[in-house]
Amino acid sequence: AQSVAQPEDQVNVAEGNPLTVKCTYSVSGNPYLFWYVQYPNRGLQFLLKYITGDNLVKGSYGFEAEFNKSQTSFHLKKPSALVSDSALYFCAVRDPELIFGQGTELSVKP
Amino acid sequence: EAGVTQSPTHLIKTRGQQATLRCSPISGHTSVYWYQQALGLGLQFLLWYDEGEERNRGNFPPRFSGRQFPNYSSELNVNALELEDSALYLCASSFLGQGASEAFFGQGTRLTVV
């Protein structure tokens, strides 16, 4: 079965600094990988996906993710964090339904 | 274009009762997924419907069931409610049940069992 793991429960970043939220995957074959964000008491919002091709994927709100096959990772990144980026972030893989990691709480302080 | 809509927003039930949650997918989407998000447990996959058929279910007891209607809307039924069923239930839809298409989520139904 396909799975993803998010090794950090929480990430703290100062506003204006770059941020990274980590995700590793375990799949057979080529993975379809996704990142979602969840604000308090809300549903999930799609940020970006990797299907094939360029290893650097650009998504919504200035986020991007780097697919690394040798390290089986799909880390979410943003060059300059905003306080409004504070939320819960989920990595997911298609299996064929979406299977989610446990989530990472991102806190961006002014 | 309307997104995925779920009703009701909040639902309070007594232990042992039944709960029915509803989901309307984005127009044109044939697949509907249900997830449970309990406090501290992340997103757990419940059920997947596509073209009116149940395609897969997660590791949940049979008292969690549902169906998909001809217009692709869906219902999730939870029978014999237990306190630990209290959670945010999220519905998502996608154009294709497999492959590269992302799923879009509704705002969820907060079920509280007392």
Side-chain angles (χ1 to χ4, degrees):
Chain A
Q2 326 276 49
S3 66
V4 290
Q6 296 178 240
E8 301 161 317
D9 290 335
Q10 185 158 10
V11 170
N12 297 307
V13 177
E15 187 175 31
N17 283 0
L19 70 86
T20 299
V21 182
K22 296 180 180 177
C23 173
T24 59
Y25 65 88
S26 175
V27 304
S28 54
N30 295 319
Y32 294 151
L33 296 165
F34 302 79
W35 275 102
Y36 284 82
V37 60
Q38 185 180 33
Y39 297 97
N41 296 311
R42 303 296 296 275
L44 274 68
Q45 295 179 28
F46 168 73
L47 282 178
L48 51 81
K49 65 181 178 183
Y50 173 81
I51 305 304
T52 187
D54 194 349
N55 290 340
L56 185 64
V57 179
K58 294 189 181 298
S60 306
Y61 313 120
F63 284 94
E64 57 189 28
E66 186 172 8
F67 174 73
N68 188 315
K69 190 171 183 178
S70 63
Q71 296 185 6
T72 63
S73 67
F74 187 55
H75 299 334
L76 182 70
K77 301 182 179 185
K78 188 174 183 181
S80 179
L82 299 172
V83 172
S84 57
D85 292 330
S86 298
L88 187 58
Y89 290 80
F90 290 96
C91 177
V93 64
R94 272 280 190 184
D95 191 32
E97 65 275 0
L98 285 172
I99 302 300
F100 289 87
Q102 59 268 46
T104 298
E105 185 81 41
L106 173 66
S107 177
V108 182
K109 300 295 185 186
Chain B
E1 180 180 319
V4 177
T5 58
Q6 291 187 245
S7 63
T9 305
H10 294 87
L11 190 58
I12 299 175
K13 292 287 186 178
T14 302
R15 189 171 50 183
Q17 285 187 318
Q18 179 195 37
T20 298
L21 288 63
R22 296 178 176 84
C23 173
S24 292
I26 290 172
S27 178
H29 286 187
T30 61
S31 276
V32 171
Y33 311 84
W34 288 95
Y35 289 85
Q36 182 194 66
Q37 188 176 25
L39 197 61
L41 292 180
L43 282 157
Q44 305 296 314
F45 167 68
L46 267 165
L47 290 159
W48 168 31
Y49 293 95
D50 184 63
E51 296 284 1
E53 300 287 332
E54 182 181 301
R55 301 297 184 184
N56 201 8
R57 67 179 292 128
N59 188 26
F60 280 84
R63 57 191 186 83
F64 287 84
S65 66
R67 54 181 172 167
Q68 187 178 33
F69 299 98
N71 66 354
Y72 303 116
S73 66
S74 177
E75 262 182 13
L76 173 69
N77 295 294
V78 188
N79 294 319
L81 284 165
E82 300 178 2
L83 295 178
E84 52 264 35
D85 296 333
S86 295
L88 182 67
Y89 288 84
L90 293 167
C91 171
S93 73
S94 70
F95 178 62
L96 293 172
Q98 302 187 42
S101 57
E102 59 270 28
F104 294 89
F105 282 78
Q107 297 304 296
T109 293
R110 172 72 63 184
L111 174 63
T112 302
V113 183
V114 297

